[in-house]
């Protein structure tokens, strides 16, 4: 098992390195750079911007070849933990993204827990009670969850919460708590708000995993080993949890590899609609203004989460299924 984990960790290093190169190149592909955008904005305001732009271009090294810019960025990350400067905000990238990363991870972990808590029991029930009323209801709700865009669900829930319950919508706390220090009252107010983005973001993921769990378990319920265990007198619940559910969890666990980065970066529109202090709107803005160090750092973090999510799913699969360790 240790050798298995070490091999996976070693695979991560070249993968992240290649992803960083591709990310940096893609960000540089659009014509111009951040200073061209800044010059256009200053020109619209009637300011003489030539000297200022040239000074900034020299300061940020944007006139250098792309490989030198990449080396400056990557060497700063590896040697000093410096992700560069956000051009638009004129602050270190770490200062810009630190608070948002915390909220992003908090919402993502809560959403992941919500997805598993909802999808696992409903998927098992739908498979065991195939074609029952409950199965049809779960199937209908699953299709609705997959079909309705998350941003539309967010708008509907925000309208209902404001119209009928008088709750402030948008953000994670009410406006009167924004600049206040943390207290029990502010924490209680956070709990009143945070469930909504967790529910909205987790709906489509839970709906998809319900269908996956149902299909996987149906493939296992009528296998010969299940029939044999039932014939030996094993209780239905013990049989279900010990054999078919354990095998059916393999594809379920493997979804961690894509769910984790998707939760962090894939709901940009929802974050914009609900005014969430997460990395999604920050990444969108950085790409629009070509703030390359900020955008590159966020994409690199998402890529690392993909690799880490894949590692976690591999380790969990190896723990659940001994056949993977033998391979």
């Amino acid at each position: 098992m240790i050798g298995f984990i070490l091999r996976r960790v070693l695979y991560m290093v070249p993968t992240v390195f290649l992803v960083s190169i591709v990310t940096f190149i893609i960000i540089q592909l659009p014509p111009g750079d951040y200073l061209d955008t800044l010059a256009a904005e200053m020109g619209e305001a009637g300011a003489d911007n030539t000297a200022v732009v040239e000074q900034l271009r020299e300061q940020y090294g944007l006139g250098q070849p792309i490989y030198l810019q990449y080396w400056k960025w990557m060497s700063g990350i590896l040697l000093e933990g410096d992700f560069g400067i956000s051009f638009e905000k004129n602050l270190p990238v770490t200062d810009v993204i630190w608070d948002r990363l915390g909220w992003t991870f908090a919402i993502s972990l809560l959403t992941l827990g919500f997805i598993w808590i909802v999808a696992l029991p409903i998927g098992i029930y739908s498979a065991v009670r195939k074609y029952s009323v409950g199965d049809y209801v779960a199937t209908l709700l699953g299709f609705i969850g997959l079909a309705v865009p998350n941003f539309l669900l967010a708008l509907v829930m925000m309208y209902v919460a404001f119209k009928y319950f008088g709750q402030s919508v948008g953000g994670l706390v009410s406006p009167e708590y924004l600049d206040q220090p943390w207290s029990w009252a502010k924490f209680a107010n956070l709990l009143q708000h945070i469930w909504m983005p967790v529910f909205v973001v987790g709906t489509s993921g839970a709906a998809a995993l319900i269908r996956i769990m149902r299909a996987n378990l149906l493939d296992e319920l009528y296998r010969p080993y299940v029939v044999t265990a039932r014939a030996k007198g094993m209780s239905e619940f013990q049989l279900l949890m010990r054999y078919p559910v354990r095998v059916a969890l393999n594809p379920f666990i493997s979804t961690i590899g894509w769910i984790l980065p998707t939760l962090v970066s894939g709901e940009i529109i929802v974050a914009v609609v609900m005014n969430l202090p997460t990395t999604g709107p920050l990444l969108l803005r950085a790409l629009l203004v070509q703030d390359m160090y900020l955008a590159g750092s966020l994409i690199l973090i998402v890529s690392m989460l993909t690799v880490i999510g894949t590692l976690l799913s591999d380790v969990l699969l190896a723990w659940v299924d001994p056949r993977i360790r033998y391979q």
Side-chain angles (χ1 to χ4, degrees):
M1 190 65 174
I2 296 177
F4 175 84
I5 296 175
L6 289 177
R7 285 197 303 272
R8 289 295 187 270
V9 172
L10 290 177
Y11 293 156
M12 291 172 58
V13 177
T15 302
V16 173
F17 175 69
L18 292 175
V19 166
S20 69
I21 295 177
V22 174
T23 297
F24 201 81
I25 293 175
I26 291 176
I27 293 175
Q28 297 278 15
L29 286 180
D33 53 31
Y34 169 75
L35 293 181
D36 293 326
T37 305
L38 179 63
E41 293 176 353
M42 295 176 67
E44 291 176 359
D48 183 10
N49 52 48
T50 304
V52 175
V53 169
E54 290 303 320
Q55 180 183 357
L56 291 175
R57 193 177 299 276
E58 181 69 24
Q59 177 182 344
Y60 293 138
L62 294 180
Q64 297 176 344
I66 185 173
Y67 63 88
L68 290 180
Q69 295 183 43
Y70 172 79
W71 170 249
K72 177 182 177 182
W73 178 56
M74 187 50 60
S75 61
I77 294 175
L78 295 177
L79 300 178
E80 303 174 10
D82 181 11
F83 285 82
I85 297 292
S86 170
F87 300 148
E88 184 179 31
K89 300 182 182 297
N90 197 28
L91 290 171
V93 168
T94 51
D95 293 346
V96 175
I97 68 176
W98 183 251
D99 290 339
R100 289 179 176 260
L101 271 179
W103 285 117
T104 301
F105 282 123
I107 294 175
S108 299
L109 292 176
L110 289 174
T111 304
L112 188 60
F114 167 77
I115 290 173
W116 276 62
I117 290 172
V118 171
L120 186 60
I122 294 179
I124 293 175
Y125 175 85
S126 294
V128 174
R129 299 288 186 265
K130 183 176 63 171
Y131 304 139
S132 65
V133 175
D135 181 31
Y136 285 129
V137 171
T139 300
L140 175 63
L141 294 178
F143 286 146
I144 292 175
L146 289 171
V148 176
N150 285 348
F151 72 88
L152 180 59
L153 180 61
L155 288 172
V156 172
M157 292 188 64
M158 291 170 68
Y159 173 79
V160 172
F162 179 76
K163 179 73 174 179
Y164 297 102
F165 298 98
Q167 180 178 333
S168 63
V169 294
L172 293 177
V173 293
S174 300
E176 61 268 21
Y177 287 103
L178 283 177
D179 298 324
Q180 292 188 13
W182 281 101
S183 61
W184 287 111
K186 185 173 181 178
F187 180 72
N189 188 262
L190 171 68
L191 295 180
Q192 294 175 5
H193 287 78
I194 200 171
W195 69 269
M196 191 178 297
V198 169
F199 180 83
V200 170
V201 176
T203 300
S204 59
L209 288 187
I210 287 173
R211 306 305 302 165
I212 292 173
M213 188 63 192
R214 181 183 185 275
N216 295 341
L217 193 54
L218 282 175
D219 288 340
E220 300 295 330
L221 282 178
Y222 303 102
R223 295 289 178 90
Y225 70 88
V226 177
V227 177
T228 302
R230 186 178 289 116
K232 289 183 175 182
M234 183 177 292
S235 68
E236 198 65 26
F237 180 79
Q238 184 182 5
L239 183 153
L240 183 68
M241 293 300 173
R242 187 170 182 178
Y243 296 116
V245 168
R246 183 177 179 181
V247 176
L249 279 177
N250 283 12
F252 200 80
I253 293 173
S254 66
T255 57
I256 296 177
W258 58 264
I259 282 182
L260 190 59
T262 300
L263 292 176
V264 173
S265 66
E267 300 300 336
I268 295 178
I269 299 178
V270 173
V272 172
V273 168
M274 303 190 75
N275 191 29
L276 301 178
T278 57
T279 56
L282 193 65
L283 174 59
L284 177 62
R285 177 62 184 171
L287 292 173
L288 289 175
V289 301
Q290 295 181 276
D291 194 343
M292 64 178 188
Y293 291 137
L294 178 57
S297 298
L298 288 171
I299 294 175
L300 181 62
I301 290 172
V302 171
S303 303
M304 292 179 64
L305 286 175
T306 305
V307 176
I308 293 172
T310 304
L311 174 65
L312 290 176
S313 64
D314 287 344
V315 172
L316 289 175
L317 283 172
W319 177 62
V320 171
D321 191 347
R323 294 173 299 177
I324 297 176
R325 294 199 295 270
Y326 297 149
Q327 294 173 0

